[in-house]
Amino acid sequence: MTSIPDIFGTMAYGPAPEGVAPAHAWLDRHGRRFGLFIAGEWTPAGDDTFETLNPATGRPLARLTQAGPAEVDRAVEAARAAQPGWWAIGGHARARYLYALARQVQKHSRLFAVLESLDNGKPIRESRDIDVPLVARHFYHHAGWAQLMARELPGREPVGVVGQIIPWNFPLLMLAWKIAPALAMGNTVVLKPAEFTSLTALRFAELCQEVELPAGVVNILTGDGRTGEAMVAHPGVDKIAFTGSTEVGRIIRTATAGSGKRLSLELGGKSPFIVFPDADLDSVVEGVVDAIWFNQGQVCCAGSRILVQEGTAERLVAKLKARMEALRVGDPLDKAVDMGAIVAPVQLRRIQDLVRRGEEEGAELWQPSWGCPRDGWFFPPTLFTGVEPAATIAQVEIFGPVVVLMTFRTPAEAVELANNTRYGLAASLWTENVNLALDIAPQLQAGTVWINCTNVFDAGSGFGGYRESGFGREGGREGLREYVKWAPGRRAAGAKGRKGAGAHGRTGASLKARSAGALLPPIDRTPKLYIGGKQVRPDSGYSLPVHDALGARIGEVGQGNRKDVRNAVEAAHKAAPGWARATAHNRAQVLFYLAENLAARSEEFARRIAAFTGGSAAEREVAQGIERIYTYAAWADKYDGRVHPTPFRNVTLAMPEPIGVLGLVCPELPPLVGLLSLVLPAVAMGNTVVAIPSSSAPLPATDLYQVLDTSDLPAGVVNIVTGNRDELAPVLAAHDDVGGVWYFGSAEGSAEVERLSAGNMKRTWVDYGRGRDWTALDQSDGEEFLEQATQVKNIWVPYGE
Ligand code: NAI
């Protein structure tokens, strides 16, 4: 028995247990067996069941049903049947439902928090003060978006039925991140929680009944990866939204390739935590606690790599060790505990294996002197120093309470180390110098950059990855895009194709007649490839014939191959940092100048295009091309970000940033406008591009080289490789230095691009062979291109008191 003087002597905490009786009573009420929630009703628990365990004790909590393909079918059908009605009731009605859900979460917040901690092992302090309040906030915020949808997202409509697959680290919060925006925008959902942590999703299903949400709008299926797989494969699902491991993300990308399903992926990370010498080290230490020991380090954006300036490292390490010694690991339901249990034995083993690997590779391990509880699955806070940047533990996502520390000398080296990862989810940087902070933030390859803070989230701010951390955003205005599409009627269905080309063939013939009638034979023109600002011969040494609309041979172009594409990517890669840094005003100026130079040669271009499409259409196309250049020159300095009013002492700067190198596979027709429509938004936003022009009508593209040369466009910003589009597109899709590929061609080609993009998780935008009317690009379509050309980075800046 500890006496009061003892307690004063040690200042040790006593246990402060949270009451768990209401959660157990809820489980008992369900007989500790759960069915599935389909079409607003519970199915009886199935024959195929599995147990969900309490990670702090290893003991079972309940039996859950493994949903099979038949249940996935029924759930998708229910969602499909409910969707038109859910959209038709309008934004205001949907806002009322979302508001009711927010309220209901608040009214039952403690039960949710306790269930979450029981099922997941996270400290009640976190589930009660972070997860559940953020869940309510998400539903409130999106009630607002439902209300404003008609005004703020005109011309957009829901995607349809969304399959949502979520992980175990923030079970209810990830559910909210997925369901709230989907419902706000008029979609219906089939959601699968992770097999380790389904209980709060099942309790949420009850909330849906309590607020009398129309049946089928939300369906909840429990089960493991097999259930997820069936959802991904289901033809009735219009979009998959996934959060989880990069490995499974890659499987899903490959499985959905070519299906026409929309996809957003929020995957793993290895986020840097950068400490400059002038940082407030005590704040930094608390920052590290939040970065890597929050949720036992099972956080996709965990700051798992501390990068500290060499001269500061020793002091920081000493302070960190002292702080780690004072952390408390124990029963998640103890209100005074800092860290709870690891979700499952498989995850614990993974952490243990990687830690062993770290030691084998020569890094120095440090753990506090105290031991962890022995029932259940626990792992102590762990610090590795003396870590090589290429070491396994510096590169692989550990997803546990393990942080590695490396040093740098200069800010440039810090940036280099920070970006030395396949991932790009988040980064945090610590300095008292705002100039340094705002110089470094844009240089970090990450979807979120936190300045002097870390792991802060809000419904008003988009969250998501760069590079292999996936694509798509959750939260904020940018997150809504994932759940809407442009309504038909904005653009006419189906490309015009070659229809009507015959009628204009005469122009091509008359062109030839003119040259034949001249006294001298025309000087041969050899259109080459355009790489790094130079006209270069194709590596293959082959040329391809080009025919006019009547089938007459009117020239040849270089047959680009794999090597040419690689060279073009290299040139684009080299030009990318400079072009991204160029001011938006500067980019706008270059584009306006391009329009000027094209206008000066419009007759020549019209004649060239006429050979492929016809006389009056050709003139119109040139005029349209010039206007399109104007449009994107105009946008270059106006497609700007937002400032999100996130709570705490912050404003959050949501900045659209270029993706990097984009591969653009252009439509066959119209030859000039098809090319310009892709190249312009991409470069206006600061990307550099490798464009594969029309295979059948490439000459307007090769004529463009000279216009590009005379328009002050830096070398390598636009590269053009002629040849067979469907041979070249896969090279771009598989290339690791290409950040995104747009493909407007066949259904098979689209599928191939999506499949091959899984390597480095590049962003893809394909049309599945549906085509589009390129001449009828209106304002909203222009915006769609700008969205595809950018990704949003949220920078959290401390502000005010
Ligand atoms: P996981 O990626 O396998 O699981 C995430 C979700 O996907 C779960 O609901 C799971 O049932 C489902 N799933 C699994 N296989 C699927 C498939 N073939 N098709 C469709 N859905 C499928 O993650 P897991 O196995 O739970 O954890 C493994 C590692 O992934 C962790 O050690 C951690 O490194 C990482 N991870 C990252 C998360 C993040 O938020 N970035 C979240 C969870 C895990």
Side-chain angles (χ1 to χ4, degrees):
M1 186 68 182
T2 324
S3 69
I4 291 176
D6 285 345
I7 293 172
F8 274 111
T10 62
M11 291 301 278
Y13 290 91
E18 171 75 34
V20 289
H24 283 294
W26 179 76
L27 290 169
D28 289 337
R29 252 200 325 279
H30 286 271
R32 296 194 178 246
R33 284 177 78 82
F34 289 85
L36 310 168
F37 185 67
I38 300 176
E41 286 172 5
W42 290 96
T43 67
D47 299 332
D48 191 358
T49 60
F50 62 98
E51 255 173 350
T52 188
L53 308 175
N54 177 346
T57 61
R59 284 198 284 276
L61 290 166
R63 284 203 87 77
L64 310 176
T65 299
Q66 167 77 30
E71 288 82 19
V72 172
D73 243 5
R74 284 184 42 215
V76 172
E77 215 170 278
R80 169 80 40 221
Q83 199 274 328
W86 180 242
W87 172 230
I89 61 171
H92 178 60
R94 290 197 301 279
R96 286 181 179 221
Y97 280 112
L98 288 165
Y99 175 72
L101 285 170
R103 275 300 196 202
Q104 215 55 13
V105 167
Q106 285 184 313
K107 280 186 258 180
H108 299 277
S109 61
R110 196 53 73 90
L111 176 59
F112 272 115
V114 173
L115 266 181
E116 197 78 310
S117 284
L118 277 178
D119 203 15
N120 164 282
K122 64 172 69 202
I124 183 74
R125 206 168 46 81
E126 291 177 7
S127 50
R128 183 195 60 199
D129 297 344
I130 299 173
D131 295 47
V132 175
L134 278 175
V135 170
R137 159 91 180 127
H138 226 77
F139 281 104
Y140 275 110
H141 184 72
H142 286 89
W145 279 124
Q147 177 72 28
L148 292 179
M149 181 180 182
R151 190 200 132 87
E152 291 295 303
L153 292 122
R156 308 230 194 172
E157 59 179 30
V159 172
V161 173
V162 186
Q164 306 185 313
I165 301 171
I166 58 174
W168 43 257
N169 52 346
F170 294 92
L172 188 66
L173 185 57
M174 290 302 105
L175 173 147
W177 280 25
K178 295 276 182 290
I179 288 186
L183 261 48
M185 297 294 104
N187 304 276
T188 54
V189 306
V190 178
L191 176 131
K192 188 192 89 63
E195 54 274 34
F196 301 133
T197 53
S198 307
L199 293 181
T200 45
L202 296 171
R203 175 70 191 105
F204 180 83
E206 290 183 334
L207 292 197
C208 296
Q209 289 180 312
E210 288 158 18
V211 305
E212 294 177 14
L213 195 72
V217 170
V218 168
N219 304 274
I220 309 263
L221 299 180
T222 48
D224 60 17
R226 290 168 295 166
T227 310
E229 232 174 288
M231 287 164 62
V232 168
H234 200 289
V237 171
D238 300 305
K239 171 192 164 78
I240 292 288
F242 172 81
T243 299
S245 61
T246 297
E247 293 69 39
V248 174
R250 191 165 278 130
I251 292 172
I252 294 178
R253 165 70 290 182
T254 311
T256 53
S259 64
K261 285 192 181 83
R262 292 266 295 266
L263 183 61
S264 48
L265 298 173
E266 200 262 274
L267 309 175
K270 193 77 185 174
S271 300
F273 183 104
I274 310 169
V275 184
F276 290 102
D278 64 347
D280 169 3
L281 278 199
D282 292 321
S283 302
V284 167
V285 170
E286 291 315 307
V288 174
V289 173
D290 287 340
I292 190 69
W293 296 310
F294 168 52
N295 205 26
Q296 295 72 248
Q298 302 166 135
V299 182
C300 47
C301 52
S304 51
R305 289 186 296 145
I306 302 173
L307 310 176
V308 56
Q309 210 271 345
E310 211 172 58
T312 312
E314 204 179 309
R315 269 190 310 140
L316 177 60
V317 169
K319 275 178 182 280
L320 268 179
K321 288 180 179 173
R323 183 67 176 92
M324 289 167 76
E325 190 65 33
L327 286 173
R328 300 186 77 223
V329 174
D331 178 5
L333 273 310
D334 181 339
K335 287 180 253 188
V337 138
D338 297 303
M339 278 171 57
I342 301 296
V343 73
V346 50
Q347 187 61 20
L348 183 60
R349 268 196 305 280
R350 183 183 154 85
I351 298 168
Q352 289 163 337
D353 288 349
L354 281 163
V355 166
R356 202 168 308 121
R357 185 82 178 267
E359 287 187 281
E360 282 162 13
E361 290 182 7
E364 198 176 310
L365 169 135
W366 195 89
Q367 290 173 334
S369 61
W370 42 261
C372 287
R374 292 191 180 275
D375 327 331
W377 309 304
F378 291 90
F379 197 85
T382 301
L383 168 70
F384 271 109
T385 51
V387 182
E388 295 293 329
T392 308
I393 51 170
Q395 291 292 334
V396 171
E397 181 178 47
I398 299 175
F399 226 65
V402 182
V403 68
V404 301
L405 185 139
M406 291 176 277
T407 58
F408 63 85
R409 290 187 178 167
T410 61
E413 204 178 292
V415 169
E416 209 166 301
L417 271 175
N419 289 339
N420 177 22
T421 166
R422 306 185 282 144
Y423 297 113
L425 197 51
S428 76
L429 66 95
W430 297 75
T431 170
E432 294 298 295
N433 178 347
V434 71
N435 300 319
L436 179 66
L438 296 182
D439 176 34
I440 299 297
Q443 299 182 56
L444 298 173
Q445 290 278 335
T448 296
V449 177
W450 290 299
I451 298 173
N452 292 333
C453 59
T454 191
N455 274 345
V456 280
F457 311 97
D458 183 57
S461 171
F463 181 84
Y466 277 29
R467 307 203 272 193
E468 289 184 40
S469 291
F471 41 78
R473 293 290 178 268
E474 296 190 291
R477 180 185 287 262
E478 57 263 36
L480 303 177
R481 286 183 204 157
E482 307 299 330
Y483 291 102
V484 290
K485 60 181 187 197
W486 292 99
R490 291 253 142 195
R491 78 174 77 95
K496 291 276 185 280
R498 275 193 160 273
K499 251 195 298 172
H504 319 300
R506 241 173 285 129
T507 321
S510 65
L511 242 184
K512 263 194 294 156
R514 202 179 311 161
S515 50
L519 291 177
L520 293 170
I523 296 177
D524 179 63
R525 277 178 74 176
T526 311
K528 299 180 184 170
L529 314 181
Y530 188 65
I531 297 177
K534 294 201 180 77
Q535 299 196 33
V536 295
R537 274 192 294 276
D539 171 72
S540 70
Y542 287 101
S543 292
L544 292 171
V546 178
H547 299 102
D548 71 8
L550 290 182
R553 187 181 170 114
I554 52 170
E556 291 182 325
V557 288
Q559 183 175 2
N561 66 10
R562 179 175 289 275
K563 177 134 190 296
D564 297 312
V565 171
R566 283 204 295 259
N567 291 343
V569 171
E570 198 182 324
H573 203 68
K574 224 157 94 196
W579 185 241
R581 260 199 319 273
T583 63
H585 172 61
N586 180 230
R587 291 199 294 264
Q589 270 183 312
V590 170
L591 292 188
F592 279 124
Y593 195 27
L594 188 68
E596 180 183 327
N597 290 325
L598 180 59
R601 299 170 64 164
S602 49
E603 275 181 35
E604 173 196 333
F605 270 86
R607 272 202 308 277
R608 181 64 103 184
I609 294 167
F612 299 103
T613 65
S616 63
E619 273 161 34
R620 239 190 352 263
E621 187 177 341
V622 178
Q624 251 167 1
I626 292 167
E627 196 181 336
R628 203 143 296 168
I629 303 177
Y630 257 73
T631 300
Y632 290 110
W635 272 119
D637 64 347
K638 287 176 203 66
Y639 189 70
D640 48 15
R642 292 182 164 257
V643 179
H644 298 310
T646 44
F648 330 111
R649 292 182 304 104
N650 270 301
V651 291
T652 301
L653 313 177
M655 320 221 313
E657 289 200 335
I659 287 160
V661 176
L662 288 180
L664 308 176
V665 187
C666 305
E668 286 294 345
L669 288 177
L672 180 66
V673 159
L675 176 84
L676 290 177
S677 300
L678 303 197
V679 169
L680 293 166
V683 300
M685 293 298 102
N687 299 283
T688 57
V689 306
V690 176
I692 315 287
S694 164
S695 301
S696 56
L699 297 179
T702 60
D703 288 351
L704 203 65
Y705 301 167
Q706 288 171 2
V707 183
L708 298 174
D709 276 342
T710 51
S711 304
D712 293 343
L713 194 72
V717 172
V718 173
N719 304 276
I720 299 177
V721 179
T722 53
N724 183 324
R725 289 185 322 155
D726 283 324
E727 281 169 18
L728 300 177
V731 186
L732 282 171
H735 199 303
D736 275 351
D737 276 343
V738 174
V741 174
W742 301 354
Y743 174 93
F744 291 90
S746 65
E748 303 74 46
S750 298
E752 183 72 354
V753 163
E754 287 191 334
R755 204 164 18 247
L756 292 171
S757 70
N760 69 342
M761 282 308 165
K762 54 178 68 64
R763 286 91 186 98
T764 55
W765 185 26
V766 304
D767 71 346
Y768 306 107
R770 292 189 197 123
R772 71 162 65 206
D773 184 355
W774 292 94
T775 55
L777 217 59
D778 63 16
Q779 288 291 352
S780 57
D781 278 324
E783 204 175 327
E784 188 179 7
F785 282 76
L786 296 167
E787 283 175 7
Q788 294 286 353
T790 50
Q791 51 192 346
V792 176
K793 172 184 284 175
N794 278 279
I795 303 181
W796 294 59
V797 184
Y799 186 82
E801 278 202 307

